[in-house]
């Protein structure tokens, strides 16, 4: 009996999970999937968590549970620090993981165009802590406006700037405007929440610029009908705690959300191979990296191309298809079956969609475009279908039905970041590195300090 | 037309909300309810949030929304700092609130018997950040055990100490044991999660000591059948990051949860009237404080007595009944109707219940006691019925049904406390005090630092 092949998958997003699920069917591989979070996240609905419509756990499932049916897959909670492709070792805070095949799928993060200090003022939306932070800021803005009598302060609190006119910026803008108009209006007595000013700043000449132009037009009109200001051809040149500058123009706003550029996870650079301007790893037609047919890069971290040589967008369907392709390819390689040569990866375009608000969405698939109520129903349907797990589907479906009928939002919680009553957040956490060294624990220093 | 009376309600828990709902029916009062959180919390189910069974928003609703039907009630998010009963002013971080009638219902917090430094190692369970912190610690403990190969470290990670054998300690212990045995066992490959050691430390001679003795016995047996160790007559003398001391005995455990003493909110002391040993305010038979018939203290902050002179327990039904009583009393006083004298407050004992796990609970009402499956069904029913809002009821019901059938827990998320990608948690938050003074804002210092 031959030795099983060791496969390491870095990242439990769409790409990594789809690769793992294919590898789970292999009899020739032992698989480790490592992620710094314990959960897989359904990114396309993350903005609804930020907008108090859904709970974090509605769109997240433990990676461990999702893969527990595959006896050859181990899940590890840990952070990868670098990858040594020569020695075939993944370095992480849980130790060294040697591999025969490697799948790198650790995604992208927000890019502040060289101004990382802006992040404090303008959080992005890539993970759950960021989503709940945005939720907290948006809800707190209305509360703070209610708490002051100063008109100018109220205006600053009730102004919301979205940097970026892609799907995330558009979805957030629509949701804030609808929340102010419908949900919050009846709850505040001093301020008129419906007067909230929501501004989308897009540097290009249209929003949703990866969609056909008529859909961009429709989306702009739909946002404007909700009272959102769409600023085209403007670029944010500075962000601080009180607002943004667009060149010479100042917009005072206490809530700014970043939905603009992304850059690849810096882990990609440690592969020692070519990366593009956004830090994405340039890959071969089988998604391996040049000179290392055993190392594959997929998802938002990869600069993959379609058969015409056009770069593939950072969309969930791309990541899923890449994951499945690579998982199958490794399975085949590990089995020693070289009877047929593997075809290059080819993306089957499923189209794309974005939602603006109630009964307002755009959808494009191949040559077909759709907008309005039908596109919105399509959006709802596709997102429910692709969501992981029956429980999550059911809960999201009920949440949406409930919100649609009542205009309420079920998750309007402002939760502070500290949990201790006695004030300052402690530096001591049991999962911080412990004073007791693993493997050589002594009882020294563990006596009661007062006895 | 006479001037309307100003009523301030401090605290949006069971007591404060029940008072507010009565006051909302008055035509003679303008009411302000102030709380430092934006949500009312259904405390009895908080342990289920800590145990990953429910989401925070399932058991919390915005105070603002719950009261938005009453046009005479304003909701304020703010923290009360002290109360001046002579000048009839509530001081808060949102300014001074003068009152004609005052309802103080700001509850209790955990008490570490003079060792506040233990809180960092042993969080209590009174609010949502604490519940999610406990959830994070418990789930991380299993992950950390899986990450190490050191047997002793694994044992420390898989040992859980609950300090206190009241309902919270019992509910948490049962839930951790069930989660380890049922939910997590199949998800971990290296460790055997079902070997987790759960220890309840109770200084008295029985757990659930406010229940009749046979029910305590039953609860102890039920916990033990789940593998929980119940330590009676033992007192925790020291807590640190690696475990607890019970006198001379050391228990190494990386997860310790505090479910022992409570003390009243220190706001009670600023009333300048008598408090008991736990800091609770001694009240008259109409729940007002001596010498101030316009100031009422209710809920966990009050040391109220029943008609036989026995102290009333810190239970939700007590708080609710006190709230309704005081709300009606103030309504009557404000209307100028002195035609009939108000009866003293009298608690109608509805009984009490606690749950240990699946089909294991205890229930006592008057002379009637119940245990096992029937008590458990009773517990489920009562908690669903009292939960606020149809949406929450429906979601909790479905969560429970789902967990019961599948043994899964829907909210197994480990969410870090920082939201910024770039590492350190920022000191800059838009809701922190702003450099711009309210009312006298200047544009100074708001120019772009780089232009």
């Amino acid at each position: 009996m031959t030795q099983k092949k060791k496969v390491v998958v870095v990242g439990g997003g769409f790409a990594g999970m789809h690769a793992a699920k294919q590898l789970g069917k292999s009899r020739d591989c032992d698989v480790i999937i490592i992620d710094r979070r314990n959960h897989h996240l359904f990114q396309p609905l993350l903005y609804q968590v930020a907008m108090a419509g859904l709970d974090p756990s509605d769109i997240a499932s433990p990676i461990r549970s999702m893969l527990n049916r595959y006896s050859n897959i181990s899940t590890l909670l840990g952070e990868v620090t670098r990858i040594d492709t020569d020695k075939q070792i993944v370095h992480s805070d849980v130790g060294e993981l040697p591999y025969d095949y490697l799948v790198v799928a650790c995604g992208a993060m927000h890019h502040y165009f060289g101004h990382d200090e802006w992040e404090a003022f303008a959080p992005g939306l890539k993970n759950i802590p960021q989503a709940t932070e945005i939720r907290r800021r948006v809800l707190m803005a209305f509360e703070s406006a209610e708490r002051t009598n100063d008109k100018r302060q109220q205006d600053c609190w009730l102004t919301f700037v979205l940097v970026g006119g892609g799907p995330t910026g558009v979805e957030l803008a629509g949701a804030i405007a609808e929340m102010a108009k419908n949900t919050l209006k009846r709850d505040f007595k001093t301020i008129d929440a419906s007067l909230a000013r929501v501004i989308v700043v897009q540097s290009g000449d249209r929003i949703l610029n990866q969609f056909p132009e008529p859909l961009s037009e429709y989306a702009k009109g739909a946002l404007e009908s909700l009272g959102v200001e769409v600023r085209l051809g403007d670029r944010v040149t500075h962000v601080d705690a009180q607002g943004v500058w667009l060149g010479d123009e100042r917009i005072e706003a206490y809530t700014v959300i970043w939905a603009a550029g992304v850059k690849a996870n810096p882990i990609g650079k440690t592969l020692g191979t070519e990366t593009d301007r956004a830090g994405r790893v340039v890959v071969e037609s089988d998604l391996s990296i040049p000179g290392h047919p055993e190392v594959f890069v997929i998802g938002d971290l990869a600069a993959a191309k379609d058969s015409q040589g056009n770069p593939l967008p950072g969309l969930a369907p791309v990541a899923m298809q890449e994951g499945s392709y690579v998982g199958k390819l490794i399975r085949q390689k590990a089995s020693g079956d070289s009877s047929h040569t593997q075809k290059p990866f080819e993306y089957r375009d499923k189209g794309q969609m974005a939602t603006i608000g109630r009964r307002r969405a755009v959808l494009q698939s191949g040559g077909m475009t759709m907008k309005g109520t039908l596109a919105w129903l399509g959006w709802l349907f596709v997102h429910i279908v692709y969501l992981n797990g029956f429980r999550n589907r059911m809960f999201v479906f009920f949440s949406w039905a409930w919100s649609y009928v009542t205009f309420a939002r079920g998750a309007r919680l402002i939760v502070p970041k500290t949990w201790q009553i006695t004030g300052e957040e402690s530096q001591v956490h049991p999962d911080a590195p412990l004073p007791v060294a693993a493997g050589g624990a002594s009882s020294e220093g563990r006596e009661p300090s007062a006895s």
Side-chain angles (χ1 to χ4, degrees), chain A:
Chain A
M1 189 185 148
T2 53
Q3 181 83 30
K4 284 194 178 188
K5 298 291 183 188
K6 292 198 189 81
V7 185
V8 174
V9 178
V10 181
F14 285 122
M17 291 304 278
H18 274 70
K21 282 177 181 174
Q22 288 297 333
L23 292 165
K25 297 178 197 161
S26 168
R27 288 190 210 153
D28 311 298
C29 298
D30 273 328
V31 184
I32 291 178
I33 182 166
I34 180 168
D35 197 295
R36 58 179 164 167
R37 315 220 180 253
N38 82 325
H39 49 270
H40 168 74
L41 190 60
F42 192 74
Q43 285 272 358
L45 291 181
L46 190 58
Y47 85 96
Q48 296 215 351
V49 174
M51 293 293 104
L54 292 177
D55 274 309
S57 61
D58 293 336
I59 62 160
S61 309
I63 293 170
R64 209 174 268 302
S65 305
M66 288 171 72
L67 299 174
N68 69 8
R69 85 194 68 159
Y70 305 108
S71 60
N72 65 332
I73 302 184
S74 300
T75 305
L76 212 51
L77 182 69
E79 185 143 13
V80 169
T81 47
R82 70 188 170 86
I83 291 163
D84 186 335
T85 48
D86 290 333
K87 295 195 179 137
Q88 305 202 168
I89 288 174
V90 173
H91 292 268
S92 80
D93 64 351
V94 218
E96 297 182 354
L97 308 171
Y99 64 81
D100 297 308
Y101 296 102
L102 173 66
V103 180
V104 189
C106 45
M109 43 179 64
H110 279 286
H111 187 214
Y112 288 83
F113 308 127
H115 291 279
D116 286 349
E117 71 277 11
W118 293 354
E119 190 181 8
F121 312 118
L125 184 63
K126 279 281 171 195
N127 56 44
I128 286 175
Q130 289 171 335
T132 49
E133 172 67 13
I134 289 174
R135 178 198 291 185
R136 196 182 68 79
R137 289 192 182 196
V138 170
L139 296 177
M140 266 309 287
F142 288 96
E143 296 288 343
S144 300
E146 179 89 354
R147 281 157 57 122
T148 178
N149 293 316
D150 182 79
K151 184 72 182 67
R152 180 165 164 212
Q153 288 288 317
Q154 282 181 351
D155 290 346
C156 291
W157 282 120
L158 293 179
T159 305
F160 300 86
V161 174
L162 287 305
V163 185
T168 303
V170 167
E171 283 162 351
L172 287 171
I176 296 175
E178 285 195 335
M179 179 157 62
K181 266 193 187 346
N182 301 326
T183 315
L184 298 179
K185 189 175 161 44
R186 49 194 164 175
D187 280 359
F188 287 89
K189 307 265 156 86
T190 307
I191 56 164
D192 182 351
S194 69
L195 296 181
R197 194 178 162 210
V198 183
I199 304 161
V200 174
V201 181
Q202 164 74 324
S203 56
D205 62 352
R206 59 190 180 97
I207 57 172
L208 300 181
N209 58 20
Q210 63 276 65
F211 285 80
E213 204 165 331
L215 294 186
S216 295
E217 276 307 306
Y218 166 80
K220 181 164 180 280
L223 280 178
E224 285 167 351
S225 76
L226 289 169
V228 175
E229 301 168 37
V230 179
R231 304 280 305 250
L232 299 176
D234 273 322
R235 189 178 287 276
V236 169
T237 51
H238 186 77
V239 186
D240 56 43
Q242 283 90 42
V244 298
W245 288 89
L246 313 175
D248 292 337
E249 184 188 347
R250 173 72 174 174
I251 300 178
E252 297 208 328
Y254 289 165
T255 311
V256 182
I257 304 171
W258 195 262
V262 293
K263 67 173 176 203
N265 191 309
I267 292 296
K269 303 254 188 205
T270 72
L271 292 169
T273 180
E274 193 193 347
T275 54
D276 71 2
R277 216 165 46 99
R280 288 178 306 183
V281 178
V282 176
V283 291
E284 305 279 8
S285 65
D286 68 347
L287 305 176
S288 68
I289 60 174
H292 286 284
E294 76 285 1
V295 177
F296 300 87
V297 181
I298 53 175
D300 287 356
L301 184 62
K305 292 195 164 67
D306 68 11
S307 46
Q308 280 88 51
N310 300 315
L312 291 174
L315 292 174
V318 175
M320 293 176 188
Q321 291 181 28
E322 289 177 348
S324 296
Y325 170 87
V326 163
K328 279 181 202 158
L329 181 57
I330 294 175
R331 225 168 73 196
Q332 188 189 322
K333 288 187 175 205
S335 72
D337 171 13
S338 53
S339 57
H340 53 282
T341 49
Q342 177 72 24
K343 284 189 223 159
F345 172 70
E346 203 164 333
Y347 175 56
R348 293 179 305 282
D349 189 357
K350 299 272 188 76
Q352 51 186 341
M353 40 179 55
T355 180
I356 298 115
R358 296 166 79 84
R359 298 196 305 276
R360 292 179 176 97
V362 293
L363 187 158
Q364 170 255 321
S365 183
M368 190 262 287
T369 65
M370 208 189 272
K371 59 195 187 214
T373 304
L374 214 57
W376 183 73
L377 289 172
W379 183 94
L380 294 178
F381 178 75
V382 166
H383 284 78
I384 289 276
V385 166
Y386 274 92
L387 192 61
N388 183 267
F390 174 74
R391 180 188 178 282
N392 287 354
R393 273 179 214 143
M394 186 178 77
F395 273 65
V396 169
F397 177 78
F398 280 122
S399 286
W400 286 350
W402 181 254
S403 298
Y404 185 78
V405 174
T406 64
F407 287 89
R409 288 176 181 262
R412 265 174 60 200
L413 295 191
I414 302 175
V415 177
K417 275 169 295 201
T418 54
W419 57 270
Q420 274 189 273
I421 294 165
T422 41
E424 294 308 298
E425 191 159 5
S426 165
Q427 296 306 307
V428 189
H429 298 300
D431 47 319
L434 288 163
V436 188
S442 85
S443 67
E444 214 180 339
R446 310 177 86 184
E447 305 297 317
S449 60
S451 57

